[in-house]
Amino acid sequence: MGKPSESKPLPNWLMLVIFLLIMTILWVFGDLFTFLLGLFIMALVFANGYDRTHADEGHH
């Protein structure tokens, strides 16, 4: 069997672009409550992923 492939983390600029794209979609197609709730949830998700990525770099 082959060696399992390692997943490479996304670059920081791509994470920012994805975040802004999702926020723009929520702003255009949702109401204010949906945008604010989505902003809060997406900020938590992306901050958690960012912290986890940089925590892993510190152990190498």
Side-chain angles (χ1 to χ4, degrees), residues 29-60:
F29 295 110
D31 57 1
L32 182 61
F33 177 75
T34 304
F35 174 75
L36 292 176
L37 184 63
L39 177 65
F40 179 72
I41 292 171
M42 292 302 297
L44 289 176
V45 168
F46 276 81
N48 185 25
Y50 182 81
D51 288 344
R52 194 173 295 162
T53 300
H54 289 284
D56 290 342
E57 288 177 359
H59 291 100
H60 293 276

Side-chain angles (χ1 to χ4, degrees), residues 7 9 20 36 47 49:
S7 63
L20 292 175
L36 292 176

